[in-house]
Amino acid sequence: MPKSRATHLSRRGVLAAGGVLGLGAALAACGDGDAKSGGPGSGPAAAKSGPWSFKDDRGRTAEADGVPANIVAFVGVAAALHDYGVRSRGVFGPTTTKDGKADVQAGDMDVSKVTVLGNEWGQFNIEKYAALAPDVLISTMFDDAGTLWYVPEESRKKILAVGAPTVGISVYDRRLTEPLERMLALAKSLGGDVTSEKVKQARKRFEDAAARLRAAARSRPDIKVMAGSAGQDLFYVSGTNLSIDLEYFKALGVNLVEPPERAKAKGGGWYESLSWENVDKYAADIIMMDNRTSAIQPSAITQATWKRLPAVKAGQVIARNPEPILSYDKCAPLLEDLAKAIESAKKVS
């Protein structure tokens, strides 16, 4: 499980369901008018007519009288849809950094043009959500129970009471290519242009990058790669099982460190937690480090044990996003960067 799931941050107060429903009904006409007049909810989808439906990865079919124009989505989903020309009106999850800039998970979105319902774990402003008159709520899922990522469990019923159908795209226990295809299908259903030359080129770039990574892994089978994430007191080592990117890298032949203790960890088998004194438990030639804002970045790690790691001393540390933005445009560089690192790595473990 991604590390941010394990740490619950402060929770926002929420309105009573009755008050939210009243507000949503009162503002529905205003929200629809905004979309039709070229507001944030407009775009390819807004121009289409007729009923809309999409069967998500829970096996549930979301339905609407027309293609949703007022889309509210987890920031990573909104970023992926953006790459296919589908705009979201509202987002939740890490969207802006402390200095107001776009978070790494926001991709190419102009974050000044979306309504941010919550920027941290547990934050979801239901009043703002209802005011958007949402046509659909979309998120990813990191378990097989259908839990929508970053939708707070304690306010889930109130959020659902607003009335918008929900869509869940699974990023649990499968390879990267599957959720990539599912996001493409979702974007298409929402009116996105998934056959444009730009999309075709991005897909070819991804396929070429996969071939390059497979070749690099085959030519350098001795190069060990470790996926890590830094916290204040602990260092987390991810295993390949469950994570879409690591499962795919393993399928391409990458020699990834597999921490056997992760199955017993509180993370439910996603990672093993190590004290900084034991950060050298696993030998690695390349370390892929969590680049999300919830993690301490390599340049800010002060522990001497980290600095003594052979891969760190050799400068063989690269970035990894445990929550990849699910478009071919954003995923291709992930494969290219790892392939390049393996091709040029010195054997230091």
Side-chain angles (χ1 to χ4, degrees), residues 194-251:
V194 301
T195 60
S196 68
E197 190 59 33
K198 180 181 178 181
V199 172
K200 289 179 181 177
Q201 291 177 359
R203 185 162 190 160
K204 184 180 186 304
R205 180 183 175 188
F206 178 88
E207 292 169 350
D208 290 346
R212 178 182 175 183
L213 181 54
R214 186 189 296 277
R218 184 181 296 121
S219 65
R220 308 286 312 272
D222 59 327
I223 297 298
K224 294 182 180 179
V225 180
M226 180 169 67
S229 183
Q232 188 65 41
D233 301 312
L234 296 170
F235 183 81
Y236 305 88
V237 181
S238 295
T240 60
N241 189 35
L242 305 181
S243 296
I244 56 173
D245 60 333
L246 301 183
E247 285 203 6
Y248 187 52
F249 297 159
K250 182 179 181 179

Side-chain angles (χ1 to χ4, degrees), residues 223-226 284-288 311 316-318 338 341-342 345:
I223 297 298
K224 294 182 180 179
V225 180
M226 180 169 67
D285 302 294
I286 297 170
I287 303 176
M288 302 174 64
Q316 295 174 176
V317 178
I318 64 173
L338 181 54
I342 293 174

Side-chain angles (χ1 to χ4, degrees), residues 52 101 140 177 283:
W52 171 86
K101 295 181 180 179
T140 47
T177 47

Side-chain angles (χ1 to χ4, degrees), residues 4 26 30 35 51 69 79 96 115 130 147 164 170 178 203 209 233 267 299-300 332 343:
S4 60
C30 176
T96 58
T115 298
T147 306
S170 181
E178 185 175 344
R203 185 162 190 160
D233 301 312
S299 61
E343 291 164 353

Side-chain angles (χ1 to χ4, degrees), residues 75-138:
V75 62
V77 171
L81 293 175
H82 177 277
D83 286 350
Y84 295 117
V86 178
R87 304 294 183 259
S88 299
R89 292 197 68 198
V91 298
F92 53 95
T95 306
T96 58
T97 57
K98 292 181 179 179
D99 58 5
K101 295 181 180 179
D103 188 274
V104 65
Q105 291 183 256
D108 294 333
M109 284 194 301
D110 184 344
V111 296
S112 69
K113 294 183 178 180
V114 294
T115 298
V116 181
L117 305 178
N119 203 52
E120 298 180 354
W121 181 263
Q123 294 182 349
F124 194 110
N125 190 312
I126 303 178
E127 184 176 14
K128 285 185 178 181
Y129 175 61
L132 291 173
D135 294 325
V136 67
L137 172 67
I138 311 171

